[in-house]
Amino acid sequence: MPLLYPVLSIVVLIRSFDAFRVFDIVWTMTGGGPGNATETFGTFVYRIGYLTVNYSEGAAAAMVGAVIIMVVGIVVYGAFARVVWGRHEA
């Protein structure tokens, strides 16, 4: 497991970024419905920002998503750096 940790951390980082980018398949197949059952972050921002013509809320939602992605990236990178390169900072 220690040798797999660098690979697993990069895979988790990339997959978490991809989870936020899923839009085209969901929008083409279901449009986020029925109800909001298949709504992803991308379809949510699109629905709020463009379909309801509320650009400020769409931009705010996109910025919140960007902050979430940044925090996940920093946490995964920090864990990766501690384990792989032996940095044990408090």
Side-chain angles (χ1 to χ4, degrees), residues 23-47:
F23 174 79
D24 53 349
I25 294 171
V26 174
W27 191 256
T28 303
M29 299 282 289
T30 64
N36 292 336
T38 59
E39 187 172 65
T40 62
F41 182 73
T43 57
F44 172 74
V45 170
Y46 180 75
R47 185 175 49 85

Side-chain angles (χ1 to χ4, degrees), residues 6-65:
V7 174
L8 287 176
S9 63
I10 296 300
V11 167
V12 166
L13 187 64
I14 291 172
R15 288 304 301 158
S16 63
F17 292 163
D18 286 342
F20 278 95
R21 292 187 323 162
V22 175
F23 174 79
D24 53 349
I25 294 171
V26 174
W27 191 256
T28 303
M29 299 282 289
T30 64
N36 292 336
T38 59
E39 187 172 65
T40 62
F41 182 73
T43 57
F44 172 74
V45 170
Y46 180 75
R47 185 175 49 85
I48 294 296
Y50 292 110
L51 297 182
T52 62
V53 192
N54 196 349
Y55 301 121
S56 59
E57 282 188 28
M63 291 304 294
V64 167

Side-chain angles (χ1 to χ4, degrees), residues 59-77:
M63 291 304 294
V64 167
V67 168
I68 290 171
I69 290 172
M70 208 177 332
V71 167
V72 167
I74 290 170
V75 167
V76 170
Y77 179 76

Side-chain angles (χ1 to χ4, degrees), residues 80-89:
F80 177 74
R82 270 196 308 270
V83 170
V84 173
W85 292 302
R87 289 190 216 160
H88 297 288
E89 299 172 8

